Each structure stands twice: as structure tokens, then as C-alpha cells.
Amino acid sequence: MKGIVIYESLTGNTAKAGWVIAEELTRSGIETVCCSTKDVDMQALSDADLVVIGTWTDGLILAGQRPGGVGRISQLPVIEGKTTAVYCTYAIKAGKTLEKLTGVVTRLGGNVIGGATIRRDRIESSASEFVDRVVAATQYA
Ligand SMILES: Cc1cc2nc3c(=O)[nH]c(=O)nc-3n(C[C@H](O)[C@H](O)[C@H](O)COP(=O)(O)O)c2cc1C
């Protein structure tokens, strides 16, 4: 099984989470590459059985949260029918960011099997716990 993590990141947190997720997935036997929405590895995306998409929480901190930079995610090709998982990083409150991101990825045709909100000061532990859940879910996808 092969995977790809595609992240949208402004200040580096979502990228960092993406690299941890890719590393842990690879360690779990899903050979995974990691890239930005600005420079998607199209071959790896086309080869991937599992697509993980991450973004950051954009809002008014306590209200109006939505996925940051969602425009580039909406334009991703070749997700149709693929097993996907989503995550978002946040500072204080993610609100409905994950649900909204799930909606975007579902509209692209992705079969979303799991998601995580990752607080920016708990990237390593939350990303690792997310990977455990995703790996377990891929066995039933
Ligand atoms: C314009 C802007 C709006 C933000 N709004 C929220 C918010 O509503 N809630 C929240 O918890 N964090 C919010 N944040 C914090 C980011 O979601 C958080 O720092 C995230 O990890 C940034 O990811 P990045 O480093 O990959 O860009 C906001 C950050 C920016 C720059």
C-alpha cells in the first residue's frame, strides 16, 4: 500500500504534522510521501491508495472557523474513489474546520475514513495517534 500526505500550510505547523504523519505511516508499512498543495507530486498522488489531506484553521479564533487555503485543495485532481483521511491544525478552537474539510474532500470523490484536529502545541503526539487510527481503518476500507 502507498500513501501521500498533501498539506496546506502558512506558518509550518500543518507541514510539520504532515511530515510526522508520512513518517509514521511509512513506519507502519504504508510507504508515504509528503508534499505541499503548492507542489503536489502528481505521480505519487496517482499511485497512492491512501491520500491524507491537511490544512490549518482560519477564523476569528473562537468563531467562524474554516479550512485555510481551501481553494487549492478543491482543485486537487485524481482523488475520486480513493481512501482518504483529513486533519487540521489549530491554536485554540478548530470549530467545524474538520467537518468542512471532510465535505470538500468528499465532493472531490474521496472516501474519508478518518480525521483529526491537531493542536499546534501537540503535533507529534496527536499526529501519531491519528496514524494509528488511520492504519486500523485502512484495514476495513
Ligand atoms: C489568519 C489566521 C486565522 C486563524 N484563525 C484561527 C481560529 O479561528 N482558531 C484557531 O484555533 N486557530 C486559528 N489560527 C491559528 C492557526 O490555525 C494555527 O496556528 C495553525 O496551526 C497554522 O497552521 P500553519 O502553521 O500550517 O499555517 C489562525 C491563524 C491565522 C494566520
Side-chain angles (χ1 to χ4, degrees), residues 15 18 21 23 54 59 64 67 72 77-79 99 103 108 112 114 118 127 129 140:
I21 290 165
E23 230 174 78
R72 268 187 290 271
V78 263
I79 299 275
E99 288 86 340
L108 288 173
V112 181
I118 297 178
E129 183 270 339
Y140 302 99

Side-chain angles (χ1 to χ4, degrees), residues 8-15 56-65 89-94 118 120:
E8 172 70 35
S9 185
L10 207 60
T11 60
N13 298 326
T14 315
W56 53 282
T57 299
D58 184 9
L60 306 170
I61 302 301
L62 292 174
Q65 296 92 349
T89 65
Y90 69 102
I92 311 271
K93 191 175 172 198
I118 297 178
R120 67 183 182 189

Side-chain angles (χ1 to χ4, degrees), residues 49-70:
D49 310 291
L50 171 68
V51 181
V52 180
I53 297 178
T55 187
W56 53 282
T57 299
D58 184 9
L60 306 170
I61 302 301
L62 292 174
Q65 296 92 349
R66 59 184 183 270
V70 79

Side-chain angles (χ1 to χ4, degrees), residues 4-139:
I4 184 169
V5 177
I6 303 172
Y7 61 79
E8 172 70 35
S9 185
L10 207 60
T11 60
N13 298 326
T14 315
K16 182 177 170 193
W19 285 101
V20 174
I21 290 165
E23 230 174 78
E24 299 265 332
L25 281 171
T26 300
R27 201 172 303 151
S28 304
I30 302 173
E31 200 188 312
T32 302
V33 304
C34 184
C35 57
S36 158
T37 51
K38 291 166 194 152
D39 185 21
V40 176
D41 183 334
M42 296 309 255
Q43 188 61 52
L45 176 57
S46 155
D47 292 345
D49 310 291
L50 171 68
V51 181
V52 180
I53 297 178
T55 187
W56 53 282
T57 299
D58 184 9
L60 306 170
I61 302 301
L62 292 174
Q65 296 92 349
R66 59 184 183 270
V70 79
R72 268 187 290 271
I73 293 170
S74 308
Q75 282 160 23
L76 287 175
V78 263
I79 299 275
E80 183 71 41
K82 290 201 190 256
T83 298
T84 59
V86 291
Y87 71 95
C88 66
T89 65
Y90 69 102
I92 311 271
K93 191 175 172 198
K96 294 223 180 324
T97 302
L98 197 64
E99 288 86 340
K100 290 175 183 171
L101 181 59
T102 300
V104 171
V105 173
T106 302
R107 280 192 290 281
L108 288 173
N111 170 30
V112 181
I113 59 161
T117 51
I118 297 178
R119 217 172 83 176
R120 67 183 182 189
D121 58 353
R122 292 194 204 130
I123 288 176
E124 303 264 347
S125 58
S126 302
S128 171
E129 183 270 339
F130 174 47
V131 168
D132 289 345
R133 279 196 286 120
V134 168
V135 169
T138 56
Q139 276 142 31

